[in-house]
Amino acid sequence: MAVSLKKGQGISLRKDEFDLSSVTIGLGWDVATESRGLLKSLFTKKEEDYDLDAIAFLLGKDGKVQDLGRDRAGNATLENSDVIFFNNLRHPSGAIWLTGDNRTGDGDGDDEQIIVRLNDLHARYESIIFVVSIYQGKEKGQSFGKVSNAFIRAVDARGKEICRYNISGDASYSQYRSMTFAQVSRQGGAWEFRAIGTPHETDRFVDVLKNYI
């Protein structure tokens, strides 16, 4: 049975218990809809779909992103970098990738998935930070205040759910449009999954990235 984590809690991803050759980090969410009367439905513009994006930062032993992908002038592009997101779906090593970009959150189960081959991840990487942000959330007036049933979970290569961290927004989250959701890090010869749940006001994941460069 999967372990349900609370904010700040962690669990060891034991090689003798789980198949870590491929670990799926699945993220899911729903958007709370308010009941509206007939007149309000007729004269109120329908709210746009929430587009939540899953992002991963690969960090070195110094807790920083090692490669930001740079052009010939030395400017960071994030292409072929240690930042996995909708415009850089696959890491150059092939050890971690984002399966796609779900722009609505419709349907049951995972809305977005980041798959990591932990056994193949180069020793230079000490941890992976997982962030979720609401694309153009500020412009659209959207926030985690209306995001419900949000979760992040880890599933091993055999499809066994290892752990899950649930969070649902309320009015106290109305100013937040991004969240540092969880972290996977090396602990000796093993890995640990830790629930973080730190919200951020920005809707731009690059603002969160600045903490790791």
Side-chain angles (χ1 to χ4, degrees):
M1 184 176 180
V3 175
S4 180
L5 299 175
K6 295 181 180 180
K7 184 175 181 177
Q9 290 184 328
I11 178 176
S12 177
L13 307 182
R14 297 169 54 91
K15 291 183 179 180
D16 59 347
E17 186 175 353
F18 305 111
D19 184 348
L20 304 183
S21 60
S22 175
V23 174
T24 298
I25 305 297
L27 299 107
W29 65 86
D30 294 317
V31 176
T33 55
E34 52 183 285
S35 58
R36 302 189 297 174
L38 177 60
L39 288 177
K40 193 171 183 180
S41 298
L42 290 173
F43 296 103
T44 302
K45 182 181 178 182
K46 182 180 181 297
E47 187 173 23
E48 292 187 57
D49 289 328
Y50 275 50
D51 180 6
L52 273 69
D53 294 316
I55 303 105
F57 306 152
L58 278 71
L59 310 181
K61 290 181 171 60
D62 59 357
K64 304 294 184 181
V65 172
Q66 306 297 293
D67 186 353
L68 291 172
R70 297 188 182 275
D71 59 21
R72 293 181 179 179
N75 301 309
T77 64
L78 300 186
E79 294 181 12
N80 298 314
S81 71
D82 289 343
V83 179
I84 306 303
F85 68 111
F86 48 84
N87 281 338
N88 189 49
L89 295 175
R90 181 176 289 269
H91 190 262
S93 69
I96 177 171
W97 65 93
L98 175 65
T99 60
D101 182 16
N102 182 329
R103 300 188 176 185
T104 66
D106 289 341
D108 297 327
D110 299 337
D111 292 310
E112 294 202 1
Q113 294 180 333
I114 295 176
I115 299 176
V116 190
R117 292 175 177 161
L118 289 177
N119 294 341
D120 297 336
L121 201 62
H122 195 281
R124 71 184 291 204
Y125 300 114
E126 192 73 13
S127 63
I128 308 169
I129 293 286
F130 297 96
V131 174
V132 178
S133 64
I134 302 174
Y135 182 68
Q136 295 183 334
K138 187 174 183 180
E139 177 184 326
K140 297 176 181 178
Q142 299 174 341
S143 73
F144 275 95
K146 290 188 67 177
V147 174
S148 62
N149 304 322
F151 67 84
I152 184 168
R153 66 179 188 143
V155 180
D156 79 354
R158 294 190 293 264
K160 182 177 182 180
E161 185 172 299
I162 303 169
C163 59
R164 175 184 291 250
Y165 171 45
N166 297 299
I167 185 169
S168 283
D170 53 33
S172 65
Y173 284 83
S174 60
Q175 73 220 57
Y176 300 119
R177 297 176 176 87
S178 294
M179 181 175 295
T180 302
F181 223 144
Q183 179 176 10
V184 173
S185 57
R186 294 184 192 271
Q187 298 294 328
W191 290 89
E192 180 187 64
F193 182 101
R194 180 166 296 276
I196 298 179
T198 300
H200 312 280
E201 293 187 12
T202 182
D203 62 358
R204 301 173 68 249
F205 76 84
V206 291
D207 292 334
V208 182
L209 176 62
K210 291 175 182 177
N211 297 317
Y212 301 97
I213 59 177

